[in-house]
Amino acid sequence: MKKLFIKYRNTNLILRIVIGLIIGSIVGVLCNLAVNHQGGLHENEIVVNCLGALAVTFQVFGNLFIGGLRAIAPILVFFLITASLMGAKKAGSKTVQKTMGLYALGTFSAAFIAVVINVFFPVTLVLPSDVDISQYSAPEGMGDIVVNIFTSIVANPIDAIANANFLGVIFWSILFGIIARPILPERIKEGFKKIAEVLTGIVKIIIDFAPFGIAGLVFTAILDNGIGIFTDYGLLLCVYLSILLFIAFGFNALIVGFVMRRNPYPLIFRTIKDVAITAFFMRSSAANIPVNMKFCDELHLDEKTYSITIPIGSTINMEGASITIITLTLACCHTLGINMDFGTALLLSLIAAISAVGTSGVSGGSILLVPMACSLFGIGGDIAAGVVAVGFIIGVIQDSVETALNSSTDGLFTAAVQLREQIVSGKPYHKIVGGTLDDKSKTK
């Protein structure tokens, strides 16, 4: 067993995840056919019993994987930020501020670009009437969003960690780290750093078992929704994915290229490979923090800086979430024949960007904010609730790609700011990110 486990861990993680994805998909389709009495599978008692046992097993794997990530992520964020600020130097503060500025710019710009693309490529919806969303609670207006954000920030720190309230976790960890820095002795500061390393190791172990969890999650999604998700909402998904790809390879490339004064694509492609693919399957920016930090470490960035910007970015850098809010809201508007002017588009972008920050740590949080955005156009709660239902139906894909963009952009913007500083100091860019550059792409 030990040799088998070692061989398993030595196999490429992405390959393991793909295998888990394929297995989960196959079993999910078979169980979905049996449940819906298709293909005669339900007539064979042995087949039904076997599929039932597999269903329970796969659902347990999925629940254990998600449960483990959600349990450890808030504690990890608290100790990472606290330990980083305790040992932080003032010299790195400007770098952190620049990175935070890119986070804010990226989130708002992604929302505005999503508005523009949805106006030129409108999508209409067939709203489901048989989906129960009574278990979800959506805010009624922008006032609720602002109140919820500030309430979350000052929540009891123990409750914030227990309930995965990342806004509260970040606030208290920043406050604790800054105040403790001049007070606590070095051995205690080192203790916090060691705890953060232990928690990071735990997350890496959970990620090692990601293939089993992914198989369970994919199985559950296909069992519940079938493969109809790809046909009934195919156009919506195409527009949504197109916007994310444009942001990832277009707008973000402009930002990174402007910051570094270099060809941005070597860094972007490496970020996609090293961070986005894992985040796609993790479906949690907070759980993907160790992956992002490993990425920054391999680029030889300043640990005392990226250990602050990466955990904070997992909560406030929400390009993907803002795109989700915009796309579903405007799809509803197009369905109802509602048009908007430039002022409304700008306001909607601002609302989506601010609201997206408050979605962190909440499963389907960006989707739950759609009714609030719809209220800007006078759309009633019943219709908006139907849009939320559509969001949860496509959530198996939407949530994954949203997280991939959110998390990879954390590493991308963090690296862009610090690599620019290294380039200015004379370090060759192509040796930092790998690959080669066209000399014509280099600018001073």
Side-chain angles (χ1 to χ4, degrees):
M1 289 295 294
K2 183 178 180 180
K3 291 182 179 179
L4 184 63
F5 180 70
I6 293 175
K7 185 175 181 180
Y8 168 81
R9 292 198 68 182
N10 289 336
T11 305
N12 182 273
L13 176 62
I14 302 302
L15 176 61
R16 284 183 276 155
I17 288 177
V18 170
I19 294 173
L21 182 67
I22 293 172
I23 294 174
S25 301
I26 293 174
V27 178
V29 169
L30 292 175
C31 287
N32 183 269
L33 293 174
V35 169
N36 292 284
H37 295 180
Q38 298 177 23
L41 293 175
H42 67 291
E43 298 174 358
N44 190 317
E45 184 176 350
I46 296 178
V47 172
V48 171
N49 290 336
C50 290
L51 291 177
L54 283 174
V56 173
T57 303
F58 275 77
Q59 287 174 333
V60 168
F61 283 149
N63 292 336
L64 287 175
F65 178 64
I66 290 297
L69 290 177
R70 288 178 177 173
I72 199 66
I75 308 174
L76 173 66
V77 171
F78 178 84
F79 277 95
L80 279 174
I81 296 177
T82 300
S84 299
L85 289 174
M86 283 182 177
K89 297 179 180 179
K90 292 184 178 179
S93 61
K94 290 185 178 180
T95 305
V96 173
Q97 292 171 8
K98 290 178 182 178
T99 307
M100 297 301 152
L102 291 185
Y103 288 164
L105 173 64
T107 300
F108 173 78
S109 300
F112 186 76
I113 292 172
V115 170
V116 174
I117 293 178
N118 274 284
V119 168
F120 283 98
F121 300 95
V123 177
T124 57
L125 303 174
V126 177
L127 301 179
S129 58
D130 58 344
V131 180
D132 180 20
I133 60 167
S134 59
Q135 57 179 313
Y136 305 107
S137 176
E140 296 180 356
M142 193 61 195
D144 288 345
I145 296 296
V146 175
V147 171
N148 288 340
I149 288 177
F150 282 102
T151 301
S152 298
I153 288 175
V154 296
N156 182 289
I158 304 300
D159 288 341
I161 293 176
N163 297 318
N165 170 14
F166 286 100
L167 288 176
V169 171
I170 286 179
F171 172 76
W172 290 113
S173 59
I174 290 176
L175 194 62
F176 189 90
I178 292 176
I179 295 177
R181 182 171 58 188
I183 298 175
L184 295 181
E186 289 299 322
R187 65 178 185 277
I188 296 181
K189 295 178 184 179
E190 188 65 23
F192 270 83
K193 183 178 179 180
K194 293 299 182 182
I195 293 175
E197 291 176 359
V198 170
L199 293 171
T200 300
I202 293 174
V203 174
K204 290 179 179 178
I205 292 175
I206 295 175
I207 292 176
D208 268 334
F209 291 94
F212 298 96
I214 297 303
L217 294 174
V218 171
F219 164 82
T220 302
I222 295 179
L223 179 64
D224 292 342
N225 302 306
I227 60 175
I229 180 178
F230 300 104
T231 55
D232 297 341
Y233 303 103
L235 182 58
L236 175 63
L237 285 170
C238 283
V239 172
Y240 178 73
L241 293 175
S242 298
I243 296 172
L244 264 75
L245 290 173
F246 177 79
I247 295 297
F249 295 100
F251 182 75
N252 284 350
L254 290 176
I255 294 179
V256 173
F258 177 79
V259 170
M260 296 194 305
R261 307 295 197 274
R262 292 292 188 276
N263 177 4
Y265 288 102
L267 178 60
I268 289 176
F269 288 132
R270 178 161 181 179
T271 308
I272 297 296
K273 177 178 70 72
D274 292 354
V275 180
I277 293 177
T278 308
F280 178 89
F281 294 107
M282 295 299 102
R283 300 175 70 177
S284 170
S285 293
N288 208 47
I289 287 175
V291 177
N292 246 322
M293 295 184 71
K294 179 183 177 183
F295 163 76
C296 293
D297 179 66
E298 291 177 349
L299 294 184
H300 306 292
L301 306 183
D302 181 11
E303 182 181 359
K304 292 183 178 179
T305 300
Y306 70 70
S307 59
I308 296 174
T309 59
I310 292 297
I312 294 179
S314 69
T315 297
I316 69 171
N317 184 32
M318 292 288 161
E319 288 187 344
S322 64
I323 294 172
T324 298
I325 296 170
I326 294 293
T327 301
L328 288 174
T329 299
L330 292 187
C332 181
C333 291
H334 295 318
T335 301
L336 301 176
I338 299 175
N339 297 316
M340 64 176 173
D341 54 27
F342 177 79
T344 305
L346 198 63
L347 178 60
L348 179 60
S349 302
L350 182 61
I351 290 175
I354 295 174
S355 303
V357 175
T359 67
S360 58
V362 181
S363 179
S366 57
I367 297 173
L368 292 175
L369 292 169
V370 170
M372 180 275 301
C374 286
S375 67
L376 184 64
F377 301 92
I379 299 173
D382 292 341
I383 296 177
V387 181
V388 172
V390 171
F392 279 103
I393 291 173
I394 67 172
V396 60
I397 298 175
Q398 168 269 323
D399 193 34
S400 294
V401 294
E402 176 184 304
T403 305
L405 179 62
N406 288 340
S407 186
S408 63
T409 309
D410 297 343
L412 179 66
F413 288 165
T414 294
V417 174
Q418 293 197 50
L419 288 178
R420 177 55 187 170
E421 296 174 353
Q422 294 187 20
I423 291 170
V424 171
S425 67
K427 191 170 184 179
Y429 176 47
H430 70 278
K431 290 185 178 180
I432 298 173
V433 299
T436 58
L437 291 176
D438 184 348
D439 290 336
K440 295 181 180 179
S441 69
K442 298 179 182 179
T443 58
K444 295 184 180 179

